[in-house]
Amino acid sequence: MYFAAQRKQSIYEQLGGDEGIRALVKEFYDIVEQDEDASELHLLHLQGAGVAHSREEQFNYLCGFFGGPQYYVMKHRHARLKEIHAHVPIGPQMRDLWLQCMAKAIDRRGIGAELASVLMRHFTTAAESSRNMD
């Protein structure tokens, strides 16, 4: 008798698919908009296309980034973070502030420690690859 190999769940699936990613993105941008400590990050978003635009684009990006539907690539034909953020001044301070807000969002969503650690490793790599200033 043959047994199907146990397929490891993608991070997208572990987060709850579209619904879970959307909830994480909502929490993140609620923090960006409301947390006094995130005011510089909020102002940076307001200088661009705005927070509503960023909420949707981050959702689209993260779905594919974590192994789900490639909404961002379908819309923009690529998912290169350096190009996506070329117009945004991102130095170490802004990178770290973004990561702090995301860590806070992960915590507020009640994501378990093991998955939270995996997420933050991925986010740290992504945030560093988006940095375009010293």
Side-chain angles (χ1 to χ4, degrees):
M1 182 178 255
Y2 292 96
F3 293 95
Q6 187 76 355
R7 187 178 68 80
K8 187 177 176 193
Q9 271 194 324
S10 67
I11 295 171
Y12 169 83
E13 292 167 326
Q14 291 177 59
L15 285 169
D18 280 15
E19 187 178 306
I21 299 272
R22 192 163 304 277
L24 179 61
V25 170
K26 179 187 183 316
E27 192 69 52
F28 173 79
Y29 279 107
D30 287 354
I31 291 165
V32 168
E33 288 186 300
Q34 298 164 15
D35 191 321
E36 215 175 277
D37 295 335
S39 61
E40 285 184 65
L41 189 55
H42 186 213
L43 288 172
L44 188 65
H45 280 82
L46 294 177
Q47 292 169 7
V51 175
H53 169 80
S54 296
R55 284 177 187 264
E56 191 58 28
E57 293 292 32
Q58 188 179 80
F59 164 77
N60 288 336
Y61 187 88
L62 291 182
C63 284
F65 183 69
F66 287 131
Q70 297 289 317
Y71 301 131
Y72 192 91
V73 172
M74 288 187 271
K75 183 176 178 182
H76 298 284
R77 300 176 119 14
H78 76 89
R80 294 180 294 275
L81 285 172
K82 195 69 120 179
E83 287 181 38
I84 293 167
H85 293 95
H87 67 288
V88 182
I90 303 172
Q93 181 182 348
M94 201 56 67
R95 173 203 61 207
D96 293 349
L97 181 54
W98 190 95
L99 287 167
Q100 288 166 14
C101 291
M102 187 53 80
K104 198 176 283 190
I106 289 167
D107 183 59
R108 288 186 184 175
R109 290 292 310 143
I111 294 170
E114 188 176 325
L115 180 55
S117 177
V118 169
L119 291 173
M120 287 309 296
R121 278 198 311 274
H122 285 286
F123 282 135
T124 299
T125 300
E128 178 56 28
S129 73
S130 300
R131 189 171 62 81
N132 52 26
M133 298 172 52
D134 288 325

